[in-house]
Amino acid sequence: MTSDAGGPSSVTVELLGVLAYGELSAFDRLAEDARAAPTLAGRAQLSTMAAAEIGHFRLIEDHLGGAGVAVADAMAPFVSLVDSYHASTAPRSWLESLVKAYLGDGLGADFYREVAGWVDPATGELVRKVLADTGHSAFAEREVRAGCAANPAQRDRLALWGRRLLGEAVTHAQRVVAERDDLAEFIVLGSGERGGVAGLIKTVQVAHGRRMGRLGLS
Amino acid sequence: MTSDAGGPSSVTVELLGVLAYGELSAFDRLAEDARAAPTLAGRAQLSTMAAAEIGHFRLIEDHLGGAGVAVADAMAPFVSLVDSYHASTAPRSWLESLVKAYLGDGLGADFYREVAGWVDPATGELVRKVLADTGHSAFAEREVRAGCAANPAQRDRLALWGRRLLGEAVTHAQRVVAERDDLAEFIVLGSGERGGVAGLIKTVQVAHGRRMGRLGLS
């Protein structure tokens, strides 16, 4: 599954393309959401989280660039599906933004942490670096818990929101895989007896539940 | 002009407050403008420029935090004036966004480079670091020149736009100073025989003209 030129395999380029556009679009959404922050400190915090996505994006850009692949080319096939995910999960409040950022980062990290073991070592290392927690989780956990403590109805709404985010993410990820036989094959081979795409989704669901718990939403 | 506790002077906190909010709001505007990029590569580039502003913002936040000042408190008095500058100079096209980012960064850098010599050494060093060119100027110069080469009427419009940006920036900066006697006094004392606020504006105008030239707009 490696290319003729010995560069990254086409599946690796696809995985990094989705990840890169995931980071770029997360930047865009977080930057937009930052405007709705209730305080200047919160706005600065969410803007900083957005900027961190670009730090990750650039790591991928450099990695692909080193292999002669323009990140824009790698991202292009996935723009409309990722945009569709964001359009279907547009936050309507500050706390929904934070929950989405927190859970969305987590979902992406779960998936790519699994995948990191199935790609070439240099790409695996890159992926682990990109997904390292940037230290903003604690902020989201604190804000969401505080918001819910002040308003229990809020907690129920956010718990529903968290479940919807998982559903939309899984649906959209399945559509990406359904459109690409090589990706599906890569996941089936990589996951082995852990059960292919279905097994991967199960793993992600369990971790999602734990994160909901940390936000006080389980 | 130092505070009783030996921390940064109140004027230093004001200068860093304006600079910090300038960075945070520039981030916000660039992130918004990035969406209007004609290509995915251009969008990534402008998003990266936006993220760099947050890197600068955090340097100021850490510096102020080390002196026991919350950056949000330092920024608060300047939010409405800086927002008013941005509202009066909302770009209507991709090239207007690039010209604004390029010239705006330059104007800020001119002002703060002067001021860096008038504050305590640690703050001066911080300011020089914050204003170091992040390497994105070359991108803006190339894009703007290419856009104008393809369309000379475009060049005339952008030249007008560049002059308007200077006018709005100067007007808004003057309003900041007019509302704060300590800032006015600080500039008069710092600039010495170079002519106070008027002398500073002159310096900024000359550098602005050089930058317009580098964009091919003089």
Side-chain angles (χ1 to χ4, degrees), chain A residues 21 27-28 35 43 47 58, chain B residues 21 28 35 43 47-48:
Chain A
Y21 190 67
F27 161 82
D28 180 48
R35 252 170 251 156
R43 178 174 156 197
S47 300
R58 296 198 68 193
Chain B
Y21 191 67
D28 180 49
R35 252 171 251 155
R43 179 174 153 195
S47 300
T48 301

Side-chain angles (χ1 to χ4, degrees), chain B:
Chain B
M1 246 194 275
T2 51
S3 72
D4 294 337
S9 72
S10 63
V11 165
T12 301
V13 171
E14 288 177 353
L15 287 167
L16 293 179
V18 185
L19 185 55
Y21 191 67
E23 300 283 354
L24 186 60
S25 61
F27 160 82
D28 180 49
R29 303 305 160 135
L30 287 172
E32 191 171 2
D33 294 352
R35 252 171 251 155
T39 63
L40 208 45
R43 179 174 153 195
Q45 185 75 39
L46 209 59
S47 300
T48 301
M49 288 169 76
E53 310 280 358
I54 291 296
H56 296 162
F57 168 81
R58 296 199 70 192
L59 288 174
I60 305 168
E61 183 180 30
D62 289 348
H63 183 80
L64 283 172
V69 178
V71 67
D73 294 339
M75 294 191 294
F78 307 105
V79 168
S80 70
L81 255 172
V82 175
D83 283 355
S84 153
Y85 164 74
H86 284 298
S88 69
T89 57
R92 290 155 306 175
S93 72
W94 165 245
L95 289 180
E96 284 194 3
S97 296
L98 285 180
V99 169
K100 182 178 171 184
Y102 180 89
L103 294 176
D105 273 3
L107 285 168
D110 290 339
F111 173 71
Y112 278 91
R113 233 187 305 273
E114 290 287 315
V115 161
W118 312 339
V119 290
D120 63 276
T123 301
E125 196 188 328
L126 166 81
V127 167
R128 287 188 197 94
K129 206 155 128 193
V130 166
L131 300 174
D133 182 20
T134 43
H136 302 299
S137 304
F139 170 75
E141 288 170 11
R142 202 169 55 234
E143 285 277 308
V144 172
R145 282 181 173 273
C148 292
N151 182 349
Q154 179 78 275
R155 193 184 59 198
D156 297 340
R157 277 196 301 274
L158 288 176
L160 210 60
W161 172 241
R163 285 194 291 277
R164 228 193 92 208
L165 288 170
L166 176 67
E168 291 290 345
V170 167
T171 302
H172 283 83
Q174 282 173 324
R175 281 171 59 194
V176 171
V177 174
E179 285 173 9
R180 302 182 168 261
D181 290 345
D182 55 348
L183 258 184
E185 191 193 337
F186 169 82
I187 291 171
V188 169
L189 285 175
S191 61
E193 61 189 16
R194 297 182 57 202
V197 177
L200 194 53
I201 290 174
K202 183 81 197 148
T203 303
V204 165
Q205 278 172 331
V206 171
H208 181 84
R210 278 198 297 267
R211 273 188 295 273
M212 292 280 281
R214 283 197 290 275
L215 291 174
L217 301 180
S218 56

